[in-house]
Amino acid sequence: DTGVSQDPRHKITKRGQNVTFRCDPISEHNRLYWYRQTLGQGPEFLTYFQNEAQLEKSRLLSNRFSAERPKGSFSTLEIQRTEQGDSAMYLCASSSGTGTGAYGYTFGSGTRLTVV
Amino acid sequence: SQKIEQNSEALNIQEGKTATLTCNYTNYSPAYLQWYRQDPGRGPVFLLLIRENEKEKRKERLKVTFDTTLKQSLFHITASQPADSATYLCALPTSGSARQLTFGSGTQLTVLP
């Protein structure tokens, strides 16, 4: 297993277009997270999956954003009608664990989105 | 609301010295705290997790302390090397959430040869 993979690494899109990102987590990890990071800031939580169930979603997440994790494996994050404010690094992370245990995340290298 | 503050200025130190980074938090009592390293254009890499009942944790040249009275964690890199240059992020479980982490904005460390 080579870690968490994200695709594409970079995406440039015109304002108003839809974009979709993919994340392949570490295969034995049942938890998957999406975060967004802008320059000079720490990652900001977007959503969390345990297996295929989306259990938490940021209140800041616009309804233009949707995420799925079919069959509890890979995940996709779609942004509809992109805006310039959506330009950021989109990070996927996975972790193992059950119950309320605390575990470190393994992050992918991210997808850099630029909306022009 | 929950707030995390890390060293606001970038930190430059000489090779071989000990780097000390600070993470302060307010309005919260986290059960644990995590530290990550992030290189430019890459995702963060998990380094250490320390729980509220642990005062100190070590991993090779890294040492983390967690003072729940002061609401502060200190992250030390001993015998620092230029390869340690990166941004270091602290993260706490988000209040009211089962699984979210809230990250600080990070401290950029440069180790000068």
Side-chain angles (χ1 to χ4, degrees):
Chain A
D1 197 343
T2 56
V4 177
S5 299
Q6 292 190 246
D7 183 69
R9 288 295 312 276
H10 304 274
K11 178 72 177 178
I12 300 174
T13 191
K14 291 184 178 178
R15 190 174 50 188
Q17 297 294 304
N18 299 345
V19 293
T20 300
F21 310 141
R22 177 181 170 119
C23 171
D24 287 89
I26 292 175
S27 55
E28 56 266 30
H29 285 178
N30 59 345
R31 297 174 181 171
L32 185 146
Y33 315 82
W34 285 97
Y35 280 75
R36 176 173 65 187
Q37 186 175 27
T38 53
L39 199 61
Q41 300 300 312
E44 178 186 33
F45 173 80
L46 293 178
T47 191
Y48 157 66
F49 289 85
Q50 178 144 330
N51 300 312
E52 67 276 6
Q54 187 175 22
L55 297 185
E56 290 186 25
K57 194 172 170 183
S58 169
R59 284 180 233 128
L60 302 175
L61 203 61
S62 154
N63 57 11
R64 297 184 295 106
F65 287 70
S66 62
E68 293 182 341
R69 192 183 182 196
K71 303 178 184 177
S73 55
F74 71 93
S75 176
T76 58
L77 177 70
E78 181 183 18
I79 308 174
Q80 297 183 327
R81 304 181 303 283
T82 52
E83 301 172 357
Q84 287 190 318
D86 297 331
S87 296
M89 174 78 88
Y90 288 83
L91 293 162
C92 176
S94 67
S95 72
S96 59
T98 57
T100 58
Y103 302 86
Y105 292 176
T106 302
F107 279 91
S109 292
T111 294
R112 169 74 63 190
L113 174 66
T114 303
V115 181
V116 297
Chain B
S1 63
Q2 179 181 13
K3 191 175 179 183
I4 301 173
E5 287 186 353
Q6 296 191 241
N7 301 52
S8 56
E9 301 294 326
L11 185 62
N12 294 336
I13 63 164
Q14 210 64 41
E15 183 176 6
K17 300 292 186 184
T18 296
T20 298
L21 283 62
T22 304
C23 176
N24 294 300
Y25 58 92
T26 56
N27 298 329
Y28 188 41
S29 296
Y32 60 88
L33 185 147
Q34 300 185 15
W35 283 90
Y36 289 79
R37 168 187 173 136
Q38 187 171 26
D39 292 289
R42 311 290 293 183
V45 174
F46 172 70
L47 297 174
L48 282 165
L49 182 153
I50 185 165
R51 300 179 193 279
E52 61 181 338
N53 60 349
E54 298 174 314
K55 295 292 185 192
E56 180 180 299
K57 202 152 193 180
R58 291 175 187 261
K59 178 182 174 183
E60 297 170 355
R61 294 184 296 109
L62 308 181
K63 185 178 87 170
V64 172
T65 63
F66 193 11
D67 189 326
T68 55
T69 302
L70 290 179
K71 294 188 182 295
Q72 180 181 80
S73 175
L74 298 179
F75 178 82
H76 307 272
I77 306 175
T78 58
S80 60
Q81 304 165 1
D84 295 326
S85 299
T87 295
Y88 291 86
L89 301 158
C90 71
L92 284 72
T94 303
S95 177
S97 165
R99 292 288 164 255
Q100 293 180 39
L101 288 179
T102 298
F103 285 82
S105 57
T107 297
Q108 187 175 342
L109 172 68
T110 301
V111 181
L112 304 167

